Amino acid sequence: MEAALATLRAELAQARSDQQVTAQEVATSVQIAQKADSRVTAMAEKPAPDGFRVGATTFKLGGFVKVVGSATRYDDGEVASGSLGKEFYLPQQIPIGGRSSRDVIGHARQTRLSFSTSTPLGGKDVKSVIEFDFALAAAPLGAQRSTNPYTPTFRRGFITYGNWLFGQEWTTFQNPGHLPESTDFVGPMDGAIFVRQMMVQYKQPLGGGLDLYLAAENPQTETVTSVSPALVDNDQDRMPDLVGKLAYKGKIGEIHVAGLVRELSVRSNGVGDKAMGWGITTGGKIPFGPQGRHDIRFLATYGHGMGRYFAVGYAPDAIYDAAMGNQLHVVDNFAGFAAAKLGWTPTVRSTFMVGYQHADYPDDIALPGLANREAYSFAGNLFWSPVKNLDLGIEYRHAQRKVVSGLTGQMDRIEMATKYNF
């Protein structure tokens, strides 16, 4: 009896020991599973790599596909076939002095591709950007007849290292981030600064959200003569355009003030003239409302001999003619725009904008009657983003152009656009 009882006690002890081992194994298995689950969750929540690496260099590809369709009425003439004014708003291409006409066109030429790199070097990153689109390419004759081919056109290409930038970029005199949202290529072109060019730029952070920019940029003097309003590209400049800008970015929004000094130069057959030009501009973007969905954007610019910086050359820098004593007569310009963005919901928004430009020519010289004097436009749009990076928009624009002779031309356009960013 005692032997049997001892045997039972031994078996009970062994069973208890086995249960403890099993419980430990189960606990260990649960801990392993929990750690595996946490690792899987962390991997799922970790953002996907931005770009790809080859050696020490990170490469990134970005851009967007944009499809545009528009219907336009011109009150005073026709726009020539193949003109860029058919595809986005250029005030200088509003026709004057003719009969009314209508035009419908669709294209995807604003589609854009950008390529960037970043490589560590000496405790800093050497970065580069190459960007192109198809918007300004000259189309072959009859392009719309069949295949609509357009050659890629170079937009930006620059290198940065530390505080320095070398290459072709938006002029330091402007801030493209302050342009309002539009179905158009630019929007209030008549009031905007719009130049991309070669430069050497230095940026110095001053603290508190304030940055100082200094730049030497590629010069180019644009003139007309007393008998012809056609812009002449004079490639005889001897000094770079010099730009300084203070830019602030903080809780109240973004504001910049910039100044420009330049030398205008024209020479022909050993004779010519030169003159000083200058300009000052201020602009900004001020968000307000819930989650900052609304904002006010503005720009105001005054210049003496800097017409080429406005609206892709709406007015010249100066008047020059050999018959006028080989002298440059500098033109003054004022331009500006204002825009209000209203975010109705997180995915639906509207922008209302107005732009204006005026060229003040010297009074004591003869002027070509078709030289551009004044332009204005106003527009309103509605955008919807059903999913991230996809924008659908519709916009109405009215614009007017006025020339020195007093003739005017008007344009009304309804435009729709679909844009996908990647």
Side-chain angles (χ1 to χ4, degrees), residues 43-91:
M43 292 176 64
E45 294 177 350
K46 183 179 180 180
D50 188 10
F52 62 93
R53 291 180 63 114
V54 177
T57 301
T58 300
F59 296 82
K60 297 179 184 179
L61 180 66
F64 57 78
V65 177
K66 185 176 180 182
V67 181
V68 178
S70 63
T72 307
R73 172 189 167 90
Y74 303 102
D75 286 356
D76 303 278
E78 298 182 1
V79 176
S81 178
S83 298
L84 292 175
K86 285 178 172 284
E87 300 182 4
F88 58 89
Y89 172 51
L90 279 175

mmCIF file of all heavy atoms in Angstrom, residues 43-91:
data_model
loop_
_atom_site.group_PDB
_atom_site.id
_atom_site.type_symbol
_atom_site.label_atom_id
_atom_site.label_comp_id
_atom_site.label_asym_id
_atom_site.label_seq_id
_atom_site.Cartn_x
_atom_site.Cartn_y
_atom_site.Cartn_z
ATOM 1 N N MET A 43 6.787 47.480 -39.563
ATOM 2 C CA MET A 43 7.154 47.483 -40.977
ATOM 3 C C MET A 43 6.026 48.033 -41.832
ATOM 4 O O MET A 43 6.259 48.742 -42.811
ATOM 5 C CB MET A 43 7.532 46.071 -41.423
ATOM 6 C CG MET A 43 8.825 45.560 -40.813
ATOM 7 S SD MET A 43 9.182 43.847 -41.276
ATOM 8 C CE MET A 43 9.402 44.027 -43.038
ATOM 9 N N ALA A 44 4.775 47.697 -41.452
ATOM 10 C CA ALA A 44 3.635 48.183 -42.233
ATOM 11 C C ALA A 44 3.465 49.689 -42.089
ATOM 12 O O ALA A 44 3.076 50.379 -43.026
ATOM 13 C CB ALA A 44 2.362 47.462 -41.800
ATOM 14 N N GLU A 45 3.745 50.213 -40.857
ATOM 15 C CA GLU A 45 3.581 51.636 -40.622
ATOM 16 C C GLU A 45 4.757 52.460 -41.137
ATOM 17 O O GLU A 45 4.657 53.658 -41.325
ATOM 18 C CB GLU A 45 3.408 51.886 -39.121
ATOM 19 C CG GLU A 45 2.103 51.302 -38.560
ATOM 20 C CD GLU A 45 2.001 51.509 -37.065
ATOM 21 O OE1 GLU A 45 3.015 51.916 -36.454
ATOM 22 O OE2 GLU A 45 0.920 51.254 -36.513
ATOM 23 N N LYS A 46 5.906 51.843 -41.348
ATOM 24 C CA LYS A 46 7.080 52.560 -41.823
ATOM 25 C C LYS A 46 6.853 53.050 -43.250
ATOM 26 O O LYS A 46 6.433 52.285 -44.109
ATOM 27 C CB LYS A 46 8.307 51.643 -41.790
ATOM 28 C CG LYS A 46 9.594 52.337 -42.192
ATOM 29 C CD LYS A 46 10.772 51.388 -42.110
ATOM 30 C CE LYS A 46 12.066 52.067 -42.506
ATOM 31 N NZ LYS A 46 13.219 51.139 -42.435
ATOM 32 N N PRO A 47 7.063 54.351 -43.523
ATOM 33 C CA PRO A 47 6.825 54.853 -44.882
ATOM 34 C C PRO A 47 7.731 54.194 -45.906
ATOM 35 O O PRO A 47 8.853 53.799 -45.603
ATOM 36 C CB PRO A 47 7.129 56.354 -44.752
ATOM 37 C CG PRO A 47 8.015 56.465 -43.555
ATOM 38 C CD PRO A 47 7.585 55.377 -42.616
ATOM 39 N N ALA A 48 7.200 54.096 -47.121
ATOM 40 C CA ALA A 48 7.984 53.501 -48.206
ATOM 41 C C ALA A 48 9.192 54.379 -48.505
ATOM 42 O O ALA A 48 9.158 55.596 -48.327
ATOM 43 C CB ALA A 48 7.117 53.354 -49.459
ATOM 44 N N PRO A 49 10.292 53.798 -48.932
ATOM 45 C CA PRO A 49 11.490 54.591 -49.242
ATOM 46 C C PRO A 49 11.177 55.664 -50.287
ATOM 47 O O PRO A 49 10.458 55.413 -51.248
ATOM 48 C CB PRO A 49 12.472 53.550 -49.786
ATOM 49 C CG PRO A 49 12.003 52.243 -49.230
ATOM 50 C CD PRO A 49 10.509 52.353 -49.144
ATOM 51 N N ASP A 50 11.690 56.877 -50.052
ATOM 52 C CA ASP A 50 11.497 57.982 -50.973
ATOM 53 C C ASP A 50 12.641 57.967 -51.980
ATOM 54 O O ASP A 50 13.721 58.470 -51.708
ATOM 55 C CB ASP A 50 11.457 59.296 -50.200
ATOM 56 C CG ASP A 50 11.066 60.469 -51.086
ATOM 57 O OD1 ASP A 50 10.654 60.229 -52.231
ATOM 58 O OD2 ASP A 50 11.174 61.617 -50.625
ATOM 59 N N GLY A 51 12.412 57.383 -53.149
ATOM 60 C CA GLY A 51 13.458 57.245 -54.145
ATOM 61 C C GLY A 51 14.197 55.928 -53.990
ATOM 62 O O GLY A 51 13.777 55.027 -53.259
ATOM 63 N N PHE A 52 15.311 55.817 -54.690
ATOM 64 C CA PHE A 52 16.125 54.611 -54.606
ATOM 65 C C PHE A 52 17.596 55.008 -54.582
ATOM 66 O O PHE A 52 17.973 56.092 -55.025
ATOM 67 C CB PHE A 52 15.837 53.684 -55.795
ATOM 68 C CG PHE A 52 16.161 54.275 -57.136
ATOM 69 C CD1 PHE A 52 17.398 54.066 -57.739
ATOM 70 C CD2 PHE A 52 15.227 55.042 -57.826
ATOM 71 C CE1 PHE A 52 17.697 54.608 -58.975
ATOM 72 C CE2 PHE A 52 15.517 55.600 -59.066
ATOM 73 C CZ PHE A 52 16.758 55.367 -59.637
ATOM 74 N N ARG A 53 18.416 54.114 -54.045
ATOM 75 C CA ARG A 53 19.832 54.419 -53.879
ATOM 76 C C ARG A 53 20.676 53.578 -54.812
ATOM 77 O O ARG A 53 20.397 52.405 -55.048
ATOM 78 C CB ARG A 53 20.271 54.160 -52.430
ATOM 79 C CG ARG A 53 19.698 55.129 -51.429
ATOM 80 C CD ARG A 53 20.191 54.780 -50.036
ATOM 81 N NE ARG A 53 21.649 54.907 -49.960
ATOM 82 C CZ ARG A 53 22.270 55.793 -49.220
ATOM 83 N NH1 ARG A 53 21.588 56.641 -48.487
ATOM 84 N NH2 ARG A 53 23.595 55.850 -49.179
ATOM 85 N N VAL A 54 21.726 54.218 -55.334
ATOM 86 C CA VAL A 54 22.774 53.536 -56.072
ATOM 87 C C VAL A 54 24.086 54.010 -55.471
ATOM 88 O O VAL A 54 24.475 55.176 -55.629
ATOM 89 C CB VAL A 54 22.723 53.842 -57.578
ATOM 90 C CG1 VAL A 54 23.888 53.171 -58.296
ATOM 91 C CG2 VAL A 54 21.403 53.400 -58.180
ATOM 92 N N GLY A 55 24.739 53.137 -54.738
ATOM 93 C CA GLY A 55 25.919 53.560 -53.995
ATOM 94 C C GLY A 55 25.525 54.541 -52.917
ATOM 95 O O GLY A 55 24.619 54.285 -52.120
ATOM 96 N N ALA A 56 26.163 55.714 -52.892
ATOM 97 C CA ALA A 56 25.850 56.733 -51.891
ATOM 98 C C ALA A 56 24.830 57.753 -52.383
ATOM 99 O O ALA A 56 24.474 58.674 -51.649
ATOM 100 C CB ALA A 56 27.132 57.455 -51.480
ATOM 101 N N THR A 57 24.342 57.609 -53.609
ATOM 102 C CA THR A 57 23.457 58.604 -54.212
ATOM 103 C C THR A 57 22.006 58.145 -54.186
ATOM 104 O O THR A 57 21.693 57.013 -54.559
ATOM 105 C CB THR A 57 23.871 58.894 -55.664
ATOM 106 O OG1 THR A 57 25.218 59.364 -55.682
ATOM 107 C CG2 THR A 57 22.963 59.943 -56.283
ATOM 108 N N THR A 58 21.115 59.027 -53.723
ATOM 109 C CA THR A 58 19.684 58.784 -53.738
ATOM 110 C C THR A 58 19.065 59.463 -54.958
ATOM 111 O O THR A 58 19.293 60.656 -55.195
ATOM 112 C CB THR A 58 19.014 59.321 -52.468
ATOM 113 O OG1 THR A 58 19.570 58.667 -51.324
ATOM 114 C CG2 THR A 58 17.512 59.063 -52.490
ATOM 115 N N PHE A 59 18.301 58.708 -55.737
ATOM 116 C CA PHE A 59 17.645 59.206 -56.940
ATOM 117 C C PHE A 59 16.137 59.282 -56.703
ATOM 118 O O PHE A 59 15.554 58.387 -56.085
ATOM 119 C CB PHE A 59 17.914 58.287 -58.133
ATOM 120 C CG PHE A 59 19.362 58.208 -58.534
ATOM 121 C CD1 PHE A 59 20.238 57.364 -57.868
ATOM 122 C CD2 PHE A 59 19.852 58.974 -59.575
ATOM 123 C CE1 PHE A 59 21.572 57.278 -58.234
ATOM 124 C CE2 PHE A 59 21.187 58.900 -59.941
ATOM 125 C CZ PHE A 59 22.046 58.049 -59.269
ATOM 126 N N LYS A 60 15.515 60.347 -57.198
ATOM 127 C CA LYS A 60 14.067 60.503 -57.085
ATOM 128 C C LYS A 60 13.488 60.931 -58.437
ATOM 129 O O LYS A 60 14.117 61.702 -59.170
ATOM 130 C CB LYS A 60 13.707 61.549 -56.031
ATOM 131 C CG LYS A 60 14.141 61.194 -54.618
ATOM 132 C CD LYS A 60 13.756 62.289 -53.643
ATOM 133 C CE LYS A 60 14.262 61.987 -52.240
ATOM 134 N NZ LYS A 60 13.900 63.062 -51.284
ATOM 135 N N LEU A 61 12.298 60.454 -58.723
ATOM 136 C CA LEU A 61 11.574 60.813 -59.937
ATOM 137 C C LEU A 61 10.202 61.328 -59.541
ATOM 138 O O LEU A 61 9.518 60.719 -58.709
ATOM 139 C CB LEU A 61 11.432 59.611 -60.866
ATOM 140 C CG LEU A 61 10.684 59.844 -62.184
ATOM 141 C CD1 LEU A 61 11.467 60.796 -63.075
ATOM 142 C CD2 LEU A 61 10.448 58.516 -62.897
ATOM 143 N N GLY A 62 9.795 62.476 -60.081
ATOM 144 C CA GLY A 62 8.496 63.050 -59.767
ATOM 145 C C GLY A 62 7.917 63.800 -60.942
ATOM 146 O O GLY A 62 8.503 63.839 -62.030
ATOM 147 N N GLY A 63 6.779 64.424 -60.700
ATOM 148 C CA GLY A 63 6.127 65.195 -61.750
ATOM 149 C C GLY A 63 4.629 65.036 -61.709
ATOM 150 O O GLY A 63 4.032 64.695 -60.679
ATOM 151 N N PHE A 64 3.997 65.294 -62.846
ATOM 152 C CA PHE A 64 2.548 65.110 -62.937
ATOM 153 C C PHE A 64 2.139 64.950 -64.390
ATOM 154 O O PHE A 64 2.866 65.319 -65.321
ATOM 155 C CB PHE A 64 1.787 66.278 -62.300
ATOM 156 C CG PHE A 64 2.106 67.642 -62.857
ATOM 157 C CD1 PHE A 64 1.576 68.080 -64.067
ATOM 158 C CD2 PHE A 64 2.912 68.518 -62.149
ATOM 159 C CE1 PHE A 64 1.866 69.331 -64.576
ATOM 160 C CE2 PHE A 64 3.199 69.793 -62.634
ATOM 161 C CZ PHE A 64 2.673 70.197 -63.840
ATOM 162 N N VAL A 65 0.960 64.388 -64.574
ATOM 163 C CA VAL A 65 0.290 64.341 -65.875
ATOM 164 C C VAL A 65 -0.894 65.295 -65.792
ATOM 165 O O VAL A 65 -1.704 65.209 -64.864
ATOM 166 C CB VAL A 65 -0.195 62.923 -66.218
ATOM 167 C CG1 VAL A 65 -0.952 62.935 -67.547
ATOM 168 C CG2 VAL A 65 0.974 61.951 -66.273
ATOM 169 N N LYS A 66 -0.971 66.240 -66.725
ATOM 170 C CA LYS A 66 -2.043 67.229 -66.714
ATOM 171 C C LYS A 66 -2.715 67.277 -68.080
ATOM 172 O O LYS A 66 -2.044 67.449 -69.103
ATOM 173 C CB LYS A 66 -1.499 68.615 -66.351
ATOM 174 C CG LYS A 66 -2.587 69.682 -66.202
ATOM 175 C CD LYS A 66 -1.996 71.010 -65.753
ATOM 176 C CE LYS A 66 -3.076 72.065 -65.612
ATOM 177 N NZ LYS A 66 -2.520 73.385 -65.224
ATOM 178 N N VAL A 67 -4.034 67.129 -68.073
ATOM 179 C CA VAL A 67 -4.841 67.141 -69.294
ATOM 180 C C VAL A 67 -5.762 68.353 -69.239
ATOM 181 O O VAL A 67 -6.447 68.570 -68.235
ATOM 182 C CB VAL A 67 -5.663 65.844 -69.418
ATOM 183 C CG1 VAL A 67 -6.477 65.846 -70.698
ATOM 184 C CG2 VAL A 67 -4.747 64.625 -69.359
ATOM 185 N N VAL A 68 -5.761 69.154 -70.307
ATOM 186 C CA VAL A 68 -6.495 70.424 -70.319
ATOM 187 C C VAL A 68 -7.384 70.497 -71.553
ATOM 188 O O VAL A 68 -6.973 70.107 -72.654
ATOM 189 C CB VAL A 68 -5.524 71.620 -70.314
ATOM 190 C CG1 VAL A 68 -6.286 72.939 -70.366
ATOM 191 C CG2 VAL A 68 -4.632 71.588 -69.084
ATOM 192 N N GLY A 69 -8.588 71.013 -71.371
ATOM 193 C CA GLY A 69 -9.484 71.311 -72.480
ATOM 194 C C GLY A 69 -10.109 72.672 -72.281
ATOM 195 O O GLY A 69 -10.501 73.019 -71.160
ATOM 196 N N SER A 70 -10.177 73.497 -73.345
ATOM 197 C CA SER A 70 -10.696 74.854 -73.191
ATOM 198 C C SER A 70 -11.535 75.269 -74.388
ATOM 199 O O SER A 70 -11.323 74.808 -75.518
ATOM 200 C CB SER A 70 -9.549 75.856 -72.994
ATOM 201 O OG SER A 70 -8.720 75.897 -74.137
ATOM 202 N N ALA A 71 -12.488 76.167 -74.120
ATOM 203 C CA ALA A 71 -13.299 76.809 -75.155
ATOM 204 C C ALA A 71 -13.150 78.310 -74.977
ATOM 205 O O ALA A 71 -13.387 78.830 -73.877
ATOM 206 C CB ALA A 71 -14.758 76.392 -75.040
ATOM 207 N N THR A 72 -12.753 79.026 -76.044
ATOM 208 C CA THR A 72 -12.398 80.442 -75.933
ATOM 209 C C THR A 72 -13.153 81.260 -76.973
ATOM 210 O O THR A 72 -13.305 80.835 -78.122
ATOM 211 C CB THR A 72 -10.885 80.646 -76.139
ATOM 212 O OG1 THR A 72 -10.168 79.784 -75.259
ATOM 213 C CG2 THR A 72 -10.490 82.090 -75.865
ATOM 214 N N ARG A 73 -13.575 82.446 -76.550
ATOM 215 C CA ARG A 73 -14.146 83.432 -77.470
ATOM 216 C C ARG A 73 -13.236 84.651 -77.468
ATOM 217 O O ARG A 73 -12.920 85.216 -76.417
ATOM 218 C CB ARG A 73 -15.549 83.843 -77.045
ATOM 219 C CG ARG A 73 -16.109 85.016 -77.862
ATOM 220 C CD ARG A 73 -17.403 85.551 -77.289
ATOM 221 N NE ARG A 73 -17.750 86.834 -77.881
ATOM 222 C CZ ARG A 73 -18.483 87.002 -78.979
ATOM 223 N NH1 ARG A 73 -18.951 85.941 -79.608
ATOM 224 N NH2 ARG A 73 -18.763 88.205 -79.455
ATOM 225 N N TYR A 74 -12.808 85.064 -78.670
ATOM 226 C CA TYR A 74 -12.029 86.290 -78.855
ATOM 227 C C TYR A 74 -12.941 87.322 -79.519
ATOM 228 O O TYR A 74 -13.507 87.059 -80.588
ATOM 229 C CB TYR A 74 -10.806 86.033 -79.730
ATOM 230 C CG TYR A 74 -9.883 84.956 -79.197
ATOM 231 C CD1 TYR A 74 -9.904 83.670 -79.749
ATOM 232 C CD2 TYR A 74 -9.010 85.219 -78.160
ATOM 233 C CE1 TYR A 74 -9.062 82.679 -79.270
ATOM 234 C CE2 TYR A 74 -8.158 84.227 -77.675
ATOM 235 C CZ TYR A 74 -8.195 82.958 -78.231
ATOM 236 O OH TYR A 74 -7.368 81.982 -77.757
ATOM 237 N N ASP A 75 -13.067 88.493 -78.920
ATOM 238 C CA ASP A 75 -13.987 89.505 -79.441
ATOM 239 C C ASP A 75 -13.432 90.258 -80.635
ATOM 240 O O ASP A 75 -14.200 90.855 -81.402
ATOM 241 C CB ASP A 75 -14.324 90.525 -78.343
ATOM 242 C CG ASP A 75 -15.275 89.955 -77.306
ATOM 243 O OD1 ASP A 75 -15.723 88.804 -77.481
ATOM 244 O OD2 ASP A 75 -15.557 90.657 -76.314
ATOM 245 N N ASP A 76 -12.097 90.248 -80.824
ATOM 246 C CA ASP A 76 -11.505 91.190 -81.770
ATOM 247 C C ASP A 76 -10.451 90.560 -82.666
ATOM 248 O O ASP A 76 -9.406 91.164 -82.933
ATOM 249 C CB ASP A 76 -10.893 92.372 -81.007
ATOM 250 C CG ASP A 76 -11.907 93.067 -80.122
ATOM 251 O OD1 ASP A 76 -12.676 93.902 -80.630
ATOM 252 O OD2 ASP A 76 -11.954 92.736 -78.917
ATOM 253 N N GLY A 77 -10.671 89.356 -83.143
ATOM 254 C CA GLY A 77 -9.731 88.748 -84.069
ATOM 255 C C GLY A 77 -9.509 87.276 -83.788
ATOM 256 O O GLY A 77 -10.216 86.656 -82.976
ATOM 257 N N GLU A 78 -8.514 86.711 -84.473
ATOM 258 C CA GLU A 78 -8.193 85.298 -84.341
ATOM 259 C C GLU A 78 -6.749 85.134 -83.886
ATOM 260 O O GLU A 78 -5.870 85.925 -84.240
ATOM 261 C CB GLU A 78 -8.379 84.575 -85.676
ATOM 262 C CG GLU A 78 -9.800 84.590 -86.207
ATOM 263 C CD GLU A 78 -9.936 83.816 -87.505
ATOM 264 O OE1 GLU A 78 -8.908 83.259 -87.967
ATOM 265 O OE2 GLU A 78 -11.038 83.779 -88.059
ATOM 266 N N VAL A 79 -6.502 84.078 -83.105
ATOM 267 C CA VAL A 79 -5.147 83.732 -82.702
ATOM 268 C C VAL A 79 -4.577 82.786 -83.752
ATOM 269 O O VAL A 79 -5.233 81.823 -84.170
ATOM 270 C CB VAL A 79 -5.144 83.060 -81.315
ATOM 271 C CG1 VAL A 79 -3.740 82.606 -80.940
ATOM 272 C CG2 VAL A 79 -5.682 84.031 -80.273
ATOM 273 N N ALA A 80 -3.365 83.066 -84.188
ATOM 274 C CA ALA A 80 -2.751 82.264 -85.247
ATOM 275 C C ALA A 80 -2.607 80.805 -84.821
ATOM 276 O O ALA A 80 -2.366 80.490 -83.649
ATOM 277 C CB ALA A 80 -1.384 82.847 -85.597
ATOM 278 N N SER A 81 -2.727 79.912 -85.788
ATOM 279 C CA SER A 81 -2.597 78.483 -85.527
ATOM 280 C C SER A 81 -1.227 78.161 -84.932
ATOM 281 O O SER A 81 -0.200 78.669 -85.390
ATOM 282 C CB SER A 81 -2.785 77.701 -86.830
ATOM 283 O OG SER A 81 -2.613 76.314 -86.620
ATOM 284 N N GLY A 82 -1.217 77.331 -83.892
ATOM 285 C CA GLY A 82 0.021 76.944 -83.241
ATOM 286 C C GLY A 82 0.516 77.906 -82.185
ATOM 287 O O GLY A 82 1.539 77.653 -81.547
ATOM 288 N N SER A 83 -0.187 79.028 -81.979
ATOM 289 C CA SER A 83 0.232 80.000 -80.973
ATOM 290 C C SER A 83 0.019 79.453 -79.571
ATOM 291 O O SER A 83 -0.968 78.760 -79.290
ATOM 292 C CB SER A 83 -0.547 81.303 -81.130
ATOM 293 O OG SER A 83 -0.303 81.894 -82.390
ATOM 294 N N LEU A 84 0.943 79.802 -78.663
ATOM 295 C CA LEU A 84 0.835 79.346 -77.282
ATOM 296 C C LEU A 84 -0.374 79.947 -76.577
ATOM 297 O O LEU A 84 -0.882 79.375 -75.612
ATOM 298 C CB LEU A 84 2.107 79.697 -76.517
ATOM 299 C CG LEU A 84 3.371 78.948 -76.946
ATOM 300 C CD1 LEU A 84 4.582 79.486 -76.202
ATOM 301 C CD2 LEU A 84 3.223 77.456 -76.708
ATOM 302 N N GLY A 85 -0.850 81.115 -77.071
ATOM 303 C CA GLY A 85 -2.012 81.741 -76.478
ATOM 304 C C GLY A 85 -3.277 80.923 -76.596
ATOM 305 O O GLY A 85 -4.257 81.191 -75.890
ATOM 306 N N LYS A 86 -3.299 79.942 -77.472
ATOM 307 C CA LYS A 86 -4.436 79.034 -77.564
ATOM 308 C C LYS A 86 -4.474 78.060 -76.388
ATOM 309 O O LYS A 86 -5.529 77.557 -76.015
ATOM 310 C CB LYS A 86 -4.382 78.231 -78.866
ATOM 311 C CG LYS A 86 -4.749 78.993 -80.128
ATOM 312 C CD LYS A 86 -4.600 78.088 -81.333
ATOM 313 C CE LYS A 86 -5.140 78.757 -82.594
ATOM 314 N NZ LYS A 86 -6.613 78.759 -82.649
ATOM 315 N N GLU A 87 -3.296 77.777 -75.811
ATOM 316 C CA GLU A 87 -3.191 76.697 -74.836
ATOM 317 C C GLU A 87 -3.035 77.179 -73.406
ATOM 318 O O GLU A 87 -3.282 76.420 -72.473
ATOM 319 C CB GLU A 87 -2.038 75.774 -75.228
ATOM 320 C CG GLU A 87 -2.256 75.158 -76.602
ATOM 321 C CD GLU A 87 -1.156 74.201 -77.009
ATOM 322 O OE1 GLU A 87 -0.252 73.956 -76.196
ATOM 323 O OE2 GLU A 87 -1.210 73.702 -78.149
ATOM 324 N N PHE A 88 -2.571 78.404 -73.208
ATOM 325 C CA PHE A 88 -2.645 79.021 -71.885
ATOM 326 C C PHE A 88 -2.693 80.526 -72.057
ATOM 327 O O PHE A 88 -2.443 81.051 -73.150
ATOM 328 C CB PHE A 88 -1.494 78.576 -70.969
ATOM 329 C CG PHE A 88 -0.116 78.843 -71.485
ATOM 330 C CD1 PHE A 88 0.522 80.043 -71.230
ATOM 331 C CD2 PHE A 88 0.576 77.880 -72.200
ATOM 332 C CE1 PHE A 88 1.802 80.301 -71.675
ATOM 333 C CE2 PHE A 88 1.866 78.108 -72.652
ATOM 334 C CZ PHE A 88 2.477 79.320 -72.393
ATOM 335 N N TYR A 89 -3.030 81.229 -70.968
ATOM 336 C CA TYR A 89 -3.295 82.659 -71.056
ATOM 337 C C TYR A 89 -2.015 83.456 -71.203
ATOM 338 O O TYR A 89 -1.170 83.499 -70.311
ATOM 339 C CB TYR A 89 -4.067 83.114 -69.821
ATOM 340 C CG TYR A 89 -4.216 84.610 -69.729
ATOM 341 C CD1 TYR A 89 -4.697 85.348 -70.822
ATOM 342 C CD2 TYR A 89 -3.888 85.290 -68.571
ATOM 343 C CE1 TYR A 89 -4.824 86.721 -70.752
ATOM 344 C CE2 TYR A 89 -4.017 86.671 -68.484
ATOM 345 C CZ TYR A 89 -4.484 87.380 -69.573
ATOM 346 O OH TYR A 89 -4.613 88.740 -69.512
ATOM 347 N N LEU A 90 -1.867 84.109 -72.364
ATOM 348 C CA LEU A 90 -0.795 85.067 -72.632
ATOM 349 C C LEU A 90 -1.459 86.365 -73.077
ATOM 350 O O LEU A 90 -2.021 86.431 -74.178
ATOM 351 C CB LEU A 90 0.134 84.553 -73.730
ATOM 352 C CG LEU A 90 1.209 83.540 -73.331
ATOM 353 C CD1 LEU A 90 1.957 83.045 -74.555
ATOM 354 C CD2 LEU A 90 2.178 84.138 -72.327
ATOM 355 N N PRO A 91 -1.432 87.419 -72.272
ATOM 356 C CA PRO A 91 -2.154 88.644 -72.641
ATOM 357 C C PRO A 91 -1.704 89.246 -73.958
ATOM 358 O O PRO A 91 -2.511 89.832 -74.690
ATOM 359 C CB PRO A 91 -1.873 89.591 -71.459
ATOM 360 C CG PRO A 91 -0.679 89.018 -70.766
ATOM 361 C CD PRO A 91 -0.743 87.546 -70.981
#
